Amino acid sequence: MKTISNKSKIVFLSTFPPTQCGIATYTQDTIKGITDVFGKSITCQICELVDKPKDKPTQAYTLNTKNKEEYTKVAEAINKDKSVKLVHIQHEFGLFGGNYGDYLLDFLNVIKKPVTYTFHSVIPNPNNELKTFVKLLLSYSNSVFVMTNQSKEILISDYDIKEEIITYVPHGTHIVIYEAPQQAKEKFNIQDRKVLATFGLLGEGKNIETGLQAMPKIIENTPNALYLIIGKTHPNLIVDGVDAYRDKLEGIVNDLNLKDHVRFINEYLDTNELLDYLKATDIYLFTSKDPNQAVSGTFSYAMSCACPIVASKIPHTLEVLTPDSGILVDIGNVDQFSDAAIKLLSDDNLREEMGINAFRKTTASSWENAAITHMNTYKELFESQSEVKYSYPSIQLDHIKKMTTDLGIIQFSKISIPDLDSGYTLDDNARALIAICMHYKLTQDKEDLAYILIYLDFIIRCQQPKGDFINYVDQENREHVEQNAEVNLEDSNARAIWALGTVVANTEILPETIVKKASNCLLNALKWAEGIQSPRSIGFATKGLYLYHTAVPNLYVAAIINKLNAKLLSNYEIHASSDWKWFENYMTYGNGILPESMLCAFLTTNKPIYKKVALDSLDFLMSKMFTDKNFKVISNNGWLHRNSQAEANEYGEQPIDVAYTIHTLNSFYSAFGTPEYKQKMKMAFDWFLGKNHLGQIMYNPISGGGYDGLEKENVNLNQGAESTVCFLTARLLMENLKLSEVKVIPLQKSKTGIAINS
């Protein structure tokens, strides 16, 4: 039986690979970004633009741009498909037939779907004919994307286009795992060279000769310099098999005796190999000589791979390249290119700093983030509101494994490079143990067992004779009195109990030796746990004790749960009122653990007061985090205090609070089966996927690294243990939710309750 897809469709009018041109590649990457982020509910199709009839069409639609009659026929064909919600035209002058490409008007006069454009060129100071034509194009749409702010300003000032119909979306970039050039060079066996590079389809406009002419002076300063010229010649420039431009460049190499210092990579590389070359580059030379070139994908890609850049001045580089990430030089000025390159080659620290700054700037313009910007505009153009759903990324453990040594998981990361100097904490290893237990329960991947053992052994290593734990150990496995005294040890100790309880709760699938280790460690901590005072520490410990109790019913453990939550209940009764149903006079971090603790106490004791406070406090917390179908993390910028407005403190949003919210909602959903909790879980997880105030994803889709925080104007791209583990646990909870949506088991009161987040 044929399955009928109910996905909405977007049709792109564009050239498309295997056609070798910048717009084809741009469209392919744009579509991949949209599919990766929204493929759950959106399908992208191509109307391929060709300049001669195609014997065997490979796309949904094909338009021969030289044939005026086809424009109407293609529009009529697209009109027949009711699932097409939008047509997106990649516009470049010369791409369509007629004067200024006015054959396109025949398509626009017939198409009945909403239309938008990406203008790849915005020509300043237009004559009246060009200005009139551009305004006419936009009269069919009232929507256009541009890739630079300058293009936006030109449309407003020179074409009288209203600002509100223009969407600025920077040229997309590929997310990579950051690594230093020296490490990346090993793939190509060029570790002993200082690498300069230029890439793209070669042609006169690239002005590669400027880079070549700068090389003799560069080599005098840096004898091991190697200039990589990456890419094939533009196919339109090869006439009768003669590649005149490449012959010219090779002639310059011979004349300047550069054979040992220049390497042509005459290939159309796949994306990953290209990005590997860029990561191995010490300096990227952007030599373009077109002063009106609005945007360059090659320049964007180089920045996204942490290349310090020496660039000729075109609108794109003038707008984006600031002095902290590269050096601007005059077009074609050989001496300026060589002097700038020498300056960077002579200062390793400067190059590294510039590269990191370039990397940080361009991550915001990843194809995934560009997709989110596109979709936000698309939704406004759809004639009927189609539900657009985020797709969940694959579950990746690469970064967590990279952060883990034989001792444990390292605390911090400089972007994606583990910072060994930051040492190890009980907090992070407890969180990691919980996450990998969840992963093992989901996948039964035997590789997880080694990591479970590492994190468990770290917790045991931190336990003291009285049953409590230290929190910090340095890279040499040494304890530091000062650092262990500076932090709230109750919280970290209680998290350890949560992690140990998680292991015991998985007794049916984990090896007996692992479960026994965890059980002994937890039992040794019980005497200490009785005296916990901090509300959140009570919550963390209660969760672990409850998980233990579900697997190994124990009256002493149940008594501790009751004792701890009697304290928490007392806190609630002291502070709560009709308009402030909370345990303190403020909300800080990890708030969800408090109502969840009450829930665990109810499931253990069946006392109605615990259930009432659990539900009332959760409802109150949710009212502060979910408003108008939006989810917002309580900011660590001053937190949320009683008698203050929720909007008083903004930004400073951390992944740990999103993950805890999902944990809590999952526990309540497991207990009561209330659909609202499931929907709120999905809304909260969408924060990671880009539904936040910056419209940016909060994770590295290649490695699974979680970004450290969402600030007012930027994402903190460091991928420390806390944020990475929190993203993983949230993703695993959503996977479990997806698997369990077929059947929801309502609350069953019993002696041991039900398993929560185990």
Side-chain angles (χ1 to χ4, degrees):
M1 182 177 175
K2 189 174 181 181
T3 302
I4 300 174
S5 173
N6 59 358
K7 291 183 180 180
S8 299
K9 293 177 185 174
I10 299 169
V11 176
F12 286 78
L13 262 66
S14 178
T15 54
F16 204 73
T19 298
Q20 296 178 11
C21 81
I23 291 177
T25 303
Y26 178 89
T27 301
Q28 182 182 50
D29 289 332
T30 298
I31 288 174
K32 185 179 185 304
I34 292 170
T35 302
D36 286 348
V37 179
F38 300 104
K40 193 174 182 179
S41 55
I42 295 290
T43 296
C44 297
Q45 292 185 331
I46 296 295
C47 175
E48 185 177 8
L49 304 179
V50 297
D51 56 8
K52 55 188 175 185
K54 199 166 184 178
D55 294 334
K56 295 181 179 179
T58 55
Q59 302 298 334
Y61 309 94
T62 303
L63 172 58
N64 180 358
T65 57
K66 299 286 180 65
N67 185 340
K68 196 170 189 290
E69 294 179 359
E70 285 198 16
Y71 287 81
T72 298
K73 292 179 181 178
V74 169
E76 289 172 343
I78 294 172
N79 285 339
K80 290 178 182 177
D81 189 342
K82 294 181 180 179
S83 61
V84 174
K85 300 293 183 181
L86 180 75
V87 174
H88 190 151
I89 300 170
Q90 302 293 323
H91 184 273
E92 179 65 277
F93 294 103
L95 198 55
F96 300 95
N99 187 31
Y100 288 120
D102 62 3
Y103 283 10
L104 182 58
L105 297 176
D106 288 20
F107 175 90
L108 295 169
N109 282 324
V110 174
I111 194 71
K112 295 179 180 178
K113 309 291 184 178
V115 171
T116 187
Y117 307 87
T118 293
F119 280 0
H120 288 263
S121 289
V122 179
I123 300 170
N125 305 311
N127 59 33
N128 287 334
E129 187 178 7
L130 175 57
K131 180 177 179 179
T132 300
F133 179 68
V134 169
K135 294 184 74 169
L136 180 59
L137 286 180
L138 288 175
S139 71
Y140 289 90
S141 167
N142 285 325
S143 172
V144 60
F145 293 89
V146 294
M147 286 178 266
T148 64
N149 280 306
Q150 184 179 35
S151 295
K152 179 178 179 179
E153 292 303 319
I154 292 171
L155 282 178
I156 295 169
S157 61
D158 293 7
Y159 291 84
D160 302 327
I161 304 301
K162 294 179 180 179
E163 181 177 1
E164 54 265 29
I165 76 167
I166 305 170
T167 302
Y168 163 62
V169 53
H171 192 292
T173 56
H174 295 280
I175 292 178
V176 302
I177 299 173
Y178 172 79
E179 58 183 324
Q182 197 60 31
Q183 181 182 352
K185 289 175 188 177
E186 294 175 7
K187 298 182 183 74
F188 306 106
N189 197 27
I190 51 175
Q191 302 96 303
D192 59 339
R193 309 298 293 266
K194 291 294 186 188
V195 177
L196 302 94
T198 301
F199 92 91
L201 290 172
L202 303 191
E204 291 286 348
K206 296 287 186 187
N207 198 24
I208 305 296
E209 46 268 51
T210 297
L212 292 173
Q213 290 161 1
M215 282 302 292
K217 191 173 179 181
I218 293 170
I219 293 165
E220 285 182 25
N221 177 80
T222 309
N224 64 340
L226 174 65
Y227 187 19
L228 302 178
I229 300 171
I230 306 166
K232 296 180 72 69
T233 305
H234 197 292
N236 294 346
L237 300 179
I238 299 176
V239 181
D240 297 328
V242 177
D243 189 342
Y245 184 64
R246 190 173 295 273
D247 291 343
K248 173 184 173 182
L249 297 180
E250 290 177 349
I252 295 173
V253 170
N254 289 328
D255 292 345
L256 296 178
N257 195 26
L258 297 175
K259 282 188 176 180
D260 294 334
H261 298 277
V262 174
R263 189 176 298 174
F264 288 95
I265 301 168
N266 187 11
E267 299 176 50
Y268 193 72
L269 300 176
D270 68 54
T271 300
N272 289 334
E273 191 172 7
L274 170 62
L275 297 176
D276 283 340
Y277 270 113
L278 291 175
K279 288 195 286 185
T281 297
D282 292 291
I283 301 175
Y284 187 81
L285 298 182
F286 181 78
T287 53
S288 174
K289 66 179 181 182
D290 181 0
N292 293 317
Q293 183 178 357
V295 68
S296 166
T298 62
F299 168 74
S300 297
Y301 283 15
M303 287 190 72
S304 74
C305 289
C307 296
I309 296 181
V310 178
S312 51
K313 298 171 183 174
I314 66 165
H316 191 189
T317 61
L318 285 165
E319 180 171 309
V320 174
L321 194 66
T322 50
D324 63 351
S325 53
I327 301 174
L328 288 165
V329 298
D330 293 332
I331 291 175
N333 192 313
V334 173
D335 286 337
Q336 288 185 15
F337 265 100
S338 58
D339 290 346
I342 288 169
K343 177 181 179 181
L344 294 179
L345 289 169
S346 302
D347 191 333
D348 293 346
N349 291 333
L350 179 61
R351 281 201 320 280
E352 180 182 7
E353 184 181 339
M354 282 189 169
I356 289 174
N357 288 336
F359 179 88
R360 291 187 187 280
K361 285 180 182 179
T362 50
T363 302
S365 60
S366 71
W367 289 113
E368 291 82 356
N369 291 334
I372 294 166
T373 304
H374 276 92
M375 192 56 62
N376 288 339
T377 296
Y378 290 165
K379 287 188 290 187
E380 295 176 5
L381 300 173
F382 290 166
E383 287 182 348
S384 59
Q385 283 300 315
S386 302
E387 187 178 7
V388 177
K389 298 178 180 178
Y390 288 86
S391 299
Y392 293 166
S394 61
I395 296 168
Q396 299 283 354
L397 302 186
D398 290 359
H399 188 60
I400 280 183
K401 291 181 177 180
K402 183 179 179 180
M403 291 284 288
T404 302
T405 69
D406 290 342
L407 180 56
I409 191 167
I410 299 163
Q411 184 175 194
F412 296 136
S413 176
K414 296 176 179 176
I415 306 182
S416 58
I417 298 177
D419 180 9
L420 266 171
D421 290 340
S422 67
Y424 306 80
T425 67
L426 180 67
D427 273 334
D428 292 330
N429 281 273
R431 281 187 281 256
L433 180 56
I434 294 166
I436 302 303
C437 282
M438 291 171 64
H439 187 265
Y440 184 67
K441 185 175 181 180
L442 177 70
T443 66
Q444 304 290 297
D445 184 348
K446 297 298 184 185
E447 287 189 11
D448 290 349
L449 295 175
Y451 291 89
I452 288 172
L453 196 55
I454 287 172
Y455 306 137
L456 175 58
D457 282 345
F458 184 87
I459 293 173
I460 294 170
R461 180 257 177 269
C462 290
Q463 191 165 38
Q464 303 298 288
K466 293 182 179 180
D468 59 336
F469 303 83
I470 60 165
N471 186 55
Y472 178 80
V473 174
D474 72 13
Q475 61 177 301
E476 303 297 334
N477 198 11
R478 296 174 301 198
E479 301 174 17
H480 289 248
V481 175
E482 300 83 6
Q483 286 186 272
N484 282 306
E486 287 173 0
V487 297
N488 182 346
L489 288 182
E490 260 199 356
D491 270 13
S492 58
N493 276 237
R495 281 197 188 94
I497 291 176
W498 176 7
L500 295 167
T502 300
V503 174
V504 178
N506 285 286
T507 186
E508 292 183 1
I509 59 171
L510 288 173
E512 183 181 351
T513 53
I514 288 178
V515 174
K516 190 173 181 180
K517 274 188 171 190
S519 182
N520 289 339
C521 188
L522 186 146
L523 292 173
N524 289 338
L526 290 182
K527 192 65 180 174
W528 169 84
E530 284 189 62
I532 295 174
Q533 299 297 326
S534 164
R536 279 161 190 77
S537 301
I538 288 173
F540 298 138
T542 295
K543 193 160 179 178
L545 294 172
Y546 174 77
L547 289 168
Y548 180 91
H549 186 54
T550 60
V552 187
N554 182 304
L555 291 177
Y556 180 36
V557 171
I560 295 175
I561 292 173
N562 187 46
K563 180 179 179 180
L564 292 177
N565 284 276
K567 297 178 190 177
L568 194 56
L569 179 62
S570 176
N571 265 54
Y572 184 84
E573 290 171 340
I574 290 169
H575 294 98
S577 64
S578 59
D579 60 353
W580 184 263
K581 297 182 179 181
W582 199 241
F583 305 85
E584 301 166 302
N585 286 327
Y586 43 78
M587 289 180 170
T588 57
Y589 72 97
N591 297 295
I593 196 66
L594 303 183
E596 193 174 352
S597 186
M598 291 278 100
L599 174 62
C600 291
F602 165 64
L603 294 173
T604 304
T605 68
N606 287 333
K607 290 184 177 179
I609 185 62
Y610 287 147
K611 178 181 178 182
K612 183 180 189 314
V613 172
L615 292 170
D616 287 350
S617 60
L618 178 67
D619 287 347
F620 180 69
L621 175 61
M622 294 302 102
S623 74
K624 299 300 182 185
M625 301 185 78
F626 293 86
T627 55
D628 301 325
K629 295 186 178 180
N630 289 316
F631 169 75
K632 186 164 177 51
V633 181
I634 291 174
S635 168
N636 66 5
N637 179 26
W639 305 117
L640 174 63
H641 290 262
R642 191 172 193 156
N643 301 323
S644 69
Q645 297 299 316
E647 292 76 20
N649 300 312
E650 293 190 285
Y651 317 117
E653 301 178 30
Q654 294 184 304
I656 188 170
D657 290 301
V658 185
Y660 279 163
T661 301
I662 295 169
H663 267 293
T664 298
L665 288 166
N666 182 69
S667 295
F668 277 80
Y669 182 62
S670 298
F672 302 113
T674 306
E676 179 190 356
Y677 299 146
K678 178 177 69 173
Q679 295 306 316
K680 282 183 162 59
M681 283 177 70
K682 293 177 179 179
M683 290 172 65
F685 189 70
D686 284 351
W687 180 91
F688 286 109
L689 306 181
K691 195 169 184 182
N692 51 58
H693 76 266
L694 288 183
Q696 295 185 29
I697 61 173
M698 291 300 298
Y699 63 96
N700 184 308
I702 302 171
S703 67
Y707 297 145
D708 275 0
L710 182 71
E711 305 300 336
K712 182 177 181 179
E713 296 177 348
N714 67 283
V715 171
N716 182 340
L717 298 178
N718 294 331
Q719 295 153 52
E722 177 185 294
S723 52
T724 295
V725 171
C726 285
F727 171 65
L728 175 62
T729 53
R731 177 66 186 88
L732 290 168
L733 286 167
M734 300 312 294
E735 190 69 14
N736 288 328
L737 180 69
K738 183 172 68 174
L739 295 173
S740 69
E741 280 183 330
V742 178
K743 183 179 181 182
V744 176
I745 303 173
L747 172 66
Q748 296 291 329
K749 294 182 181 179
S750 69
K751 185 181 290 185
T752 58
I754 58 173
I756 290 180
N757 292 353
S758 57

